[in-house]
Each structure stands twice: as C-alpha cells, then as structure tokens.
Amino acid sequence: MTPHLTFAEAIIVGLIQGTTELFPVSSLGHNVLIPALVGGSWQKDLNVSAQESPYLAYVVGLHVATAIGITCYFWRDWVRIIGGFLSSIRHMQAKTPDQKLAWMIVLATIPVGLVGLKFEHKFRVIFAVPSRAAIFLVLNGIILYAGERFRTRKSRRADEQAAQDRSAEPELVGADRVAGTHSSGQRAVRQQEVATAVQADRRITSFSYWQAIIIGSAQILALLAGISRDGVTMVAGMFRGLSREDAARFAFLLATPVILAAGVLKIPDLLGPLGNGIRPQILVGSVVSGVAAYLSVRFLMKYFQTRTLTPFAIYCLVFGLGSYIYLTVK
C-alpha cells in the first residue's frame, strides 16, 4: 500500500522541521506531538515511531534541506573552517582560529555521532511517543530556564566582551570607506557580519578541545524527542563560559554536520520503497524546510545578541504540559 502524505502535511511538517530545528524547542518533539494533537489522518499517517515509517524517513530526510539552509547562512564561515581544516592537515598543526575551530567541531561531533549510530533506533522506539515527548519538552523548558537562571559569571562577562567587540566593528567599516573601499550599504552590512563572525571564532577558540567535546556531547540528549539539540548545546556552552551569542553560534555550527549526516543516511530510504508515491511532497517540503531554516538562523543570530532563552523555556513548559494533559484526558 502506498504511504499517504498530502502536500498540506508535507508543507506544514517542512515548516515545523526547518523552524524548530534551529529554535531551542525540539523539532523531533514537535514532529511527534503535533500529529497526535491534530488526530485523525495526521495521527495515522505521521507516526514517527512506527516500524519502517515513511514519515520518519521524510522527517529525517528533511534534515538535508535544513542543513543546506543553515549552511547558506554560514557559507563564508564554512569556507574558512574547511580551509583551516585542510591547512592544519597539510602543515600538521592547529594554530590559527580557523584551524582550531575546525578540529573543535570534529572532536565535539564524535560523541553524538557514535551514540546516534548505536542507539538512535532504540531511543526512537522507546521515547518518540507523544506522551513521553511532552514530558521531555517540559524537561527541555526546565533546562533552558536553569541555563539562564544559573549562568556563570564567566558567561556574563563574555556577554560584555562580545558587546564591546561588536561596538568596535562599525569603526572598522568606516575606516575602510575612508581608505577608499567603495561598497554598497549591503556590502558594508555583510562586512560587519563577517567581522562579527571572526571575532566570535576567536573567542570560541580560546576554549580547550576538552571543553568543546563536553559542549558537543550535550547533543546526545537530543536523541530524546522533546529535547532540543541547539538548546542543550547552548546551555552547555554558557555553563562552560561562552557568551549567549557565541554559545548559539557554536551550537549552530556543531549541529550542521550532525543534521546533514542524519539526513544523508535516510536518503536511500526515500529513494527506495518508503519514498514511493510521496517524492513530489518530499521535494516541496524540503524547499519549505530549507528556507525556514535559513530565516530562522538569521533571526536567532541577531536575537541572541541581546535576548535570552527564557521565552523559549516558558513556551516549552506550557506547550509540553498542556500537550501531556490533553493527551492523557482525551
């Protein structure tokens, strides 16, 4: 029997995936909960915990589009990071910020990669059910709130340093203009964004590789439906002393290879029997997911310069608790 996935379902799920993968509110938790809350054909068609689920293959396949959307925003950064990785191998050293950041990302990705390959299926079968996803979403809200409530002094001082670095950047752009660099307003904005990214990478790479591994290991918790990968990684980063802005940047950079790998591993399923009859829907949903991811990361990088995780914590607590009550009594 051909699996059923309408264009409306594909578009909405694509929008949810692309947005909630970056927002610290758990994309998997929402993809488990929303079909159960809507009920009817959604609950039947969009069951992520079912054996050989086309919906699961679709959702994880959307990760490729999500990763592409994130990479489109950070493409200049990835050019520098990949260049740093290649030069570090060529020269057998990791001295520059680009070289060190490349290896921090590699080392920090290993724990979640190994655990994901070994336990992803078991975690999904056991925990990716609506009532448990609701509980973990509440737990995610508690983690986000605690991350803000109990931030270290080092992290708060890092906020101040990041703000000082940003305030100095317009003077650099202005100096370039005086020196004869004629650029449009858009180019000047992009130059400032690049300068901000370079400064952030210098701050991040002042940390040790062990600290990067600890921060990256927090992503393992995201195997539980309802726990946000970016949320827990940000909290871990702030706990180790990163500013909120740098914790968000490092979380997004760390998430990109993990999200991409998860999607690539599911592409064979989508090209096989599980994708029969739904490939046009997959294409449309992927476009929506990629665009949503790009817009989300663009918004959040600005948002976390001055604002906190607390609104997302409140949302997770309210939505998770409300969902659990509804699913229990319905």
Side-chain angles (χ1 to χ4, degrees):
M1 181 177 179
T2 300
H4 184 66
L5 179 70
T6 68
F7 279 99
E9 290 169 342
I11 291 170
I12 293 173
V13 171
L15 181 61
I16 292 170
Q17 166 62 32
T19 303
T20 58
E21 185 66 54
L22 281 305
F23 279 70
V25 295
S26 177
S27 60
L28 182 56
H30 280 72
N31 284 320
V32 171
L33 277 172
I34 289 178
L37 295 174
V38 174
S41 63
W42 277 63
Q43 187 170 10
K44 177 173 63 72
D45 298 338
L46 311 182
N47 183 359
V48 76
S49 63
Q51 293 291 335
E52 296 300 315
S53 168
Y55 176 54
L56 174 67
Y58 170 60
V59 168
V60 181
L62 287 178
H63 282 54
V64 175
T66 304
I68 291 173
I70 304 171
T71 304
C72 286
Y73 180 81
F74 286 115
W75 75 268
R76 289 179 175 84
D77 305 285
W78 279 112
V79 168
R80 288 192 296 104
I81 293 167
I82 294 172
F85 177 75
L86 295 176
S87 68
S88 72
I89 293 176
R90 185 168 60 251
H91 300 295
M92 299 296 292
Q93 65 180 23
K95 293 183 178 180
T96 70
D98 293 341
Q99 291 172 337
K100 187 174 180 182
L101 181 59
W103 282 105
M104 290 175 76
I105 292 172
V106 170
L107 294 173
T109 302
I110 291 174
V112 66
L114 294 177
V115 174
L117 287 174
K118 181 69 175 177
F119 296 108
E120 183 274 335
H121 177 74
K122 292 181 180 179
F123 276 40
R124 174 172 57 84
V125 172
I126 297 172
F127 298 113
V129 294
S131 60
R132 292 171 185 170
I135 293 172
F136 283 120
L137 193 62
V138 172
L139 178 59
N140 188 68
I142 294 172
I143 292 172
L144 298 183
Y145 179 79
E148 287 289 351
R149 178 68 178 80
F150 301 106
R151 285 184 68 196
T152 63
R153 291 181 179 177
K154 185 177 180 181
S155 178
R156 296 179 188 277
R157 288 197 298 269
D159 276 351
E160 297 173 359
Q161 181 61 54
Q164 291 174 6
D165 289 344
R166 285 197 310 274
S167 67
E169 286 156 12
E171 297 176 5
L172 295 176
V173 174
D176 286 342
R177 285 176 177 169
V178 171
T181 301
H182 301 290
S183 60
S184 65
Q186 184 64 33
R187 183 179 177 184
V189 169
R190 188 56 199 166
Q191 286 176 335
Q192 184 171 346
E193 290 176 351
V194 170
T196 299
V198 170
Q199 290 281 10
D201 290 347
R202 289 174 180 168
R203 295 190 298 267
I204 292 170
T205 53
S206 68
F207 286 66
S208 70
Y209 290 117
W210 279 114
Q211 287 174 308
I213 292 171
I214 292 171
I215 295 170
S217 296
Q219 296 180 95
I220 294 171
L221 292 174
L223 294 173
L224 302 170
I227 302 295
S228 164
R229 173 184 289 105
D230 293 319
V232 294
T233 308
M234 277 191 65
V235 170
M238 292 189 297
F239 180 76
R240 301 305 301 176
L242 286 175
S243 68
R244 191 185 295 109
E245 175 186 353
D246 291 348
R249 175 179 173 79
F250 194 39
F252 295 147
L253 291 174
L254 285 178
T256 304
V258 177
I259 296 170
L260 182 61
V264 168
L265 289 174
K266 283 296 178 181
I267 286 180
D269 289 345
L270 296 178
L271 297 177
L274 289 180
N276 290 342
I278 61 171
R279 291 194 182 94
Q281 294 92 316
I282 292 171
L283 178 60
V284 172
S286 296
V287 172
V288 172
S289 182
V291 172
Y294 175 85
L295 295 176
S296 294
V297 71
R298 187 176 183 86
F299 168 79
L300 289 171
M301 286 305 298
K302 294 290 186 183
Y303 176 92
F304 285 123
Q305 288 181 358
T306 56
R307 281 169 259 186
T308 74
L309 287 165
T310 303
F312 303 110
I314 295 171
Y315 168 80
C316 290
L317 289 167
V318 173
F319 184 53
L321 185 59
S323 298
Y324 182 79
I325 294 171
Y326 175 78
L327 293 169
T328 301
V329 302
K330 80 169 185 176

